[in-house]
Amino acid sequence: SMYLAIRLTRSWTADVDIIREAAWPAFDFVCSCVPGSVQSVYVNGGNLFNEKSADTAVCLIRFDTGAIATVELSRCLPANIAAAASGEVEFEIIGANNTLRSEPNKSAVVLHSDVRTMSQPWNESPLFKMLAEACHPPKQSMMELSHLEKLAELTAMAQRSLREASPVMKSGITFSV
């Protein structure tokens, strides 16, 4: 499974919903890490800090491989909190044997396993070896939608789910609980 959070300052564009503002880079990262196609999206969001548009959304994305991604997007940080221009970003990739946890705006990445916890600076070559060992991303087949089509479809499904406050299934897929 995968978890990704992007928290922006409240001073960002308040009249644009958070899906339009922040989902594309988040979904790009998720779709680059998770193989397969999106089967369903459910977005629960609302106006927590302004009255103009949805400023917070939690997206539950289910892939045909069985993988589930949780994406939290929020325009919640007070303006007086020191944060990078891209906001606070954190992600976790959770596998059967390891969990990779990172805050990219910080200087190190951490890999947790049953045996040990390793921390490496972002800019050191051992980090890249550790990431390769932890993730082993599979090759995408030629039969899949292109990456941009996948992102556009996921973004449209997320916007529809936010608007309708209900799960959105890829056509031809039925929803069961």
Side-chain angles (χ1 to χ4, degrees):
S1 68
M2 180 174 199
Y3 170 78
L4 172 66
I6 299 177
R7 296 177 201 96
L8 306 172
T9 59
R10 293 182 206 167
S11 61
W12 281 52
T13 311
D15 59 345
V16 175
D17 76 62
I18 194 68
I19 297 293
R20 289 184 189 267
E21 182 176 2
W24 191 270
F27 292 166
D28 182 29
F29 183 74
V30 168
C31 289
S32 295
C33 293
V34 179
S37 61
V38 173
Q39 293 300 295
S40 66
V41 177
Y42 180 64
V43 178
N44 191 357
N47 306 36
L48 300 178
F49 302 101
N50 74 60
E51 297 177 11
K52 294 183 178 182
S53 63
D55 55 28
T56 301
V58 176
C59 310
L60 300 176
I61 306 164
R62 183 178 302 269
F63 292 85
D64 63 355
T65 58
I68 297 174
T70 304
V71 178
E72 171 196 331
L73 305 170
S74 187
R75 201 179 306 107
C76 63
L77 300 176
N80 63 350
I81 287 183
S86 58
E88 289 182 353
V89 178
E90 65 178 297
F91 70 87
E92 291 180 5
I93 300 173
I94 304 158
N97 299 314
N98 298 299
T99 297
L100 175 70
R101 178 178 291 163
S102 180
E103 295 178 54
N105 293 331
K106 295 198 174 175
S107 61
V109 65
V110 179
L111 179 66
H112 300 272
S113 70
D114 292 336
V115 180
R116 63 183 174 173
T117 298
M118 297 184 295
S119 179
Q120 292 288 329
W122 271 112
N123 58 355
E124 289 192 11
S125 61
L127 167 67
F128 299 110
K129 183 177 186 290
M130 183 175 74
L131 287 172
E133 290 172 1
C135 296
H136 295 296
K139 302 283 185 217
Q140 293 189 0
S141 73
M142 296 298 285
M143 300 302 289
E144 283 188 300
L145 293 173
S146 76
H147 188 70
L148 291 177
E149 288 172 328
K150 188 175 177 180
L151 289 175
E153 179 182 42
L154 176 54
T155 302
M157 290 170 74
Q159 287 176 321
R160 184 172 157 210
S161 179
L162 178 64
R163 187 174 54 251
E164 297 175 3
S166 66
V168 173
M169 308 304 296
K170 195 169 181 176
S171 43
I173 305 293
T174 57
F175 185 71
S176 61
V177 180

